[in-house]
Amino acid sequence: MSEPYLRIDGVTVEFPGVRALDGVSFGAKSGEVHALMGENGAGKSTLLKVLSGVNKVTAGALWIDGERHVFANAREALAQGIAIIYQELTLSPNLSVAENLLLGQLPERRGFIDRRQLRERAVKVLHDLGEEGIHPSTKVRDLSIGQQQMIEIGRALLRDARIIAFDEPTSSLSVQEIRHLKRIVARLRDEGRVVLYVTHRMEEVFEMCDAVTVFRDGQHIRTHESLAGLDHDTLVSEMVGREIEDVYGYRSRQVGEPLMRVEGLLGHGVRKPISFEVRRGEVLGLFGLVGAGRSELMRLVCGVEKASEGVVRFAGEERRFDSPHEAIRAGIAMCPEDRKSQGIFPVASVADNLNISCRRFFRRWGVFRNPAREAANATDYIQRLSIKTPGPRTRISTLSGGNQQKVILARWLSEEIELFVMDEPTRGIDVGARRDIYSLLYDLAEQGKSVVVISSDLAEVSSICDRVGVMRDGELIDILPRDEATPERLLGLALPA
Ligand SMILES: Nc1ncnc2c1ncn2[C@@H]1O[C@H](COP(=O)(O)OP(=O)(O)OP(=O)(O)O)[C@@H](O)[C@H]1O
Ligand SMILES: [Mg+2]
């Protein structure tokens, strides 16, 4: 058996109050895609930041191709041929594709940037990545997330990185972009690189990875050198440290009167007038491919964007919301999809982020504060959603990605809202925590509230919803009752005819 090209040797990383990694050791070989799995806050991103020289180790070292390294900074990691494609992309939005690709190694001629060479090298690598459609002089801010990710990969290729690590790369990609990424990852492996791949999506592990390492609470639990014979449930129980019978835990309930009726709604992203209703106590799913118009539809309903036609009847009254503020006042809240950029106050504490509920936020944060109530509220939600944080006063930006997400979700739940619209509520959230979130949705529904869940996760929509609406190309194609909403049916309706 070949010696692993990369060996993590007793790595410990400590932050104030948290041991993010605790004596972790394992190896990854060249020519393998090695999955890293574990609950939110288990230490996966921390490990990648050790590899990139961003996080300093308290103990331990890395062995790369038989040599021992302890990186003091990011430059040293680059020099060892390590590239990380982070959860949040790190490109410069106002620079061109070519400049981003070659940043740090811009070709020069007589003291000036050699534009022609810059372009040629960019074109070549774009071609390599099957992205001939991207023009080298396009500004990065005009690219889709998937294309931006390809530029990050292109940078790694241009530096000929031997170790390439991905942190939840598929979490905001469309179905087509995911397919493309999978092909590229397979190619990187075939070229003999070490590919580390952090994901919460079990099917990706079984489909594209050769080995998997599981972390829990900063500790290395197990490395499976091969996936042969490994099953889904074993992996889940290694991750969460207990058996999870049924992640979805569907609870049936009595569904009541219609709470909201949407009639003939038209507007940005909606091509044909849409009508549907949501009942009290109901969990309604909205499925469709990225770009099908699900978020757009609900943005029109919630007053984030103006509808050009149609009406919304809410709690018996005809309403037209001109702003999200008005919708919230009436009792409808939309928890946006892009919580990272739209939702977080990075320098504020977990408790503050949790308590800037929409209503108070619009009245200006800080005016009506009640510290005792806020502290109790924060502690309550930290517990209910198992948010991993040293305490409510910890700065939110130090929490792991998934835990930040839970805080933002909780913020919307802590209002007196009748209808919740949740856009991809479990994106980036681990299996155990998903269960907590689903159970919370059912709690809301049992109180007679209604929930609309926009989701691209087939297994999720078909398992947790009472009915599922399917959108395609700006149209509501059908709404299926739970027993008909099988993954196959849903996908069949969502795909282009
Ligand atoms: N800069 C930091 N300062 C303080 N604590 C930190 C910092 N970075 C990470 N942590 C803590 O280290 C632990 C591990 O976080 P990490 O981001 O590695 O988790 P993760 O496995 O990537 O989770 P997720 O699946 O949610 O992305 C968490 O408890 C987190 O709060
Ligand atoms: Mg992470």
Side-chain angles (χ1 to χ4, degrees), residues 155-397:
R155 272 163 83 155
L157 292 179
L158 279 163
R159 291 202 316 266
D160 197 23
R162 304 313 300 165
I163 299 174
I164 302 186
F166 292 87
D167 203 349
E168 296 186 48
T170 53
S171 64
S172 16
L173 299 190
S174 69
V175 176
Q176 293 88 326
E177 287 173 329
I178 291 176
R179 237 179 261 152
H180 186 56
L181 178 76
K182 285 178 179 171
R183 278 199 299 270
I184 300 285
V185 166
R187 209 191 76 198
L188 298 175
R189 168 199 25 220
D190 297 342
E191 289 166 353
R193 303 176 206 264
V194 178
V195 181
L196 299 177
Y197 193 91
V198 175
T199 183
H200 288 291
R201 298 186 176 177
M202 210 58 84
E203 71 278 6
E204 290 181 355
V205 175
F206 287 99
E207 188 191 330
M208 40 187 310
C209 300
D210 308 292
V212 51
T213 288
V214 179
F215 298 89
R216 192 165 71 231
D217 281 338
Q219 303 202 334
H220 173 263
I221 298 299
R222 185 149 176 206
T223 294
H224 299 270
E225 307 266 348
S226 142
L227 295 189
L230 179 64
D231 67 87
H232 178 278
D233 291 354
T234 311
L235 204 49
V236 171
S237 64
E238 285 174 357
M239 274 165 56
V240 300
R242 63 196 144 97
E243 304 278 327
I244 292 194
E245 298 261 296
D246 169 20
V247 181
Y248 302 107
Y250 179 73
R251 307 209 296 254
S252 63
R253 99 218 60 79
Q254 195 70 45
V255 171
E257 309 274 283
L259 171 65
M260 180 174 74
R261 282 189 124 98
V262 170
E263 285 165 24
L265 207 64
L266 258 185
H268 175 72
V270 172
R271 280 198 316 119
K272 276 201 180 163
I274 288 183
S275 304
F276 66 98
E277 62 180 33
V278 188
R279 301 176 161 267
R280 284 191 187 275
E282 182 177 43
V283 178
L284 174 73
L286 267 187
F287 178 72
L289 305 184
V290 171
R294 299 161 303 166
S295 308
E296 286 80 358
L297 168 64
M298 293 319 293
R299 276 204 283 272
L300 295 174
V301 171
C302 299
V304 182
E305 300 229 14
K306 270 203 177 140
S308 53
E309 267 174 58
V311 289
V312 174
R313 255 179 256 287
F314 187 74
E317 272 177 63
E318 187 169 320
R319 304 298 303 250
R320 189 156 221 183
F321 304 122
D322 287 326
S323 70
H325 184 188
E326 279 182 30
I328 288 163
R329 264 212 306 242
I332 306 183
M334 183 158 179
C335 177
E337 166 181 31
D338 188 6
R339 285 175 290 272
K340 283 249 170 64
S341 62
Q342 294 181 28
I344 260 177
F345 293 81
V347 297
S349 70
V350 169
D352 284 342
N353 267 284
L354 221 151
N355 282 304
I356 314 164
S357 65
C358 23
R359 213 173 284 188
R360 270 168 283 163
F361 171 56
F362 282 111
R363 283 194 202 141
R364 251 166 193 283
W365 178 24
V367 177
F368 296 100
R369 298 188 72 170
N370 175 345
R373 214 190 97 192
E374 288 190 13
N377 188 42
T379 315
D380 182 32
Y381 276 100
I382 287 171
Q383 217 165 43
R384 285 176 70 181
L385 291 176
S386 338
I387 296 170
K388 196 178 168 204
T389 170
R393 308 252 48 104
T394 302
R395 205 185 251 219
I396 194 169
S397 56

Side-chain angles (χ1 to χ4, degrees), residues 15 18 20 38-46 87 168 200 388 398-403 428:
F15 297 112
V18 190
E39 292 182 293
N40 297 129
K44 306 174 298 290
S45 299
T46 302
Q87 241 163 336
E168 296 186 48
H200 288 291
K388 196 178 168 204
T398 68
L399 264 54
S400 78
N403 282 295

Side-chain angles (χ1 to χ4, degrees), residues 416-470:
E416 300 108 27
I417 295 291
E418 293 297 313
L419 182 121
F420 295 92
V421 179
M422 300 186 183
D423 205 346
E424 306 284 359
T426 59
R427 171 175 290 167
I429 299 222
D430 72 59
V431 257
R434 269 167 181 253
R435 220 201 132 115
D436 298 336
I437 289 178
Y438 300 142
S439 140
L440 211 131
L441 295 189
Y442 296 132
D443 289 350
L444 294 170
E446 280 164 6
Q447 293 160 25
K449 298 181 184 251
S450 312
V451 186
V452 176
V453 179
I454 300 173
S455 172
S456 304
D457 184 333
L458 258 184
E460 175 176 275
V461 274
S462 65
S463 308
I464 67 164
C465 300
D466 303 310
R467 290 188 303 150
V468 184
V470 181

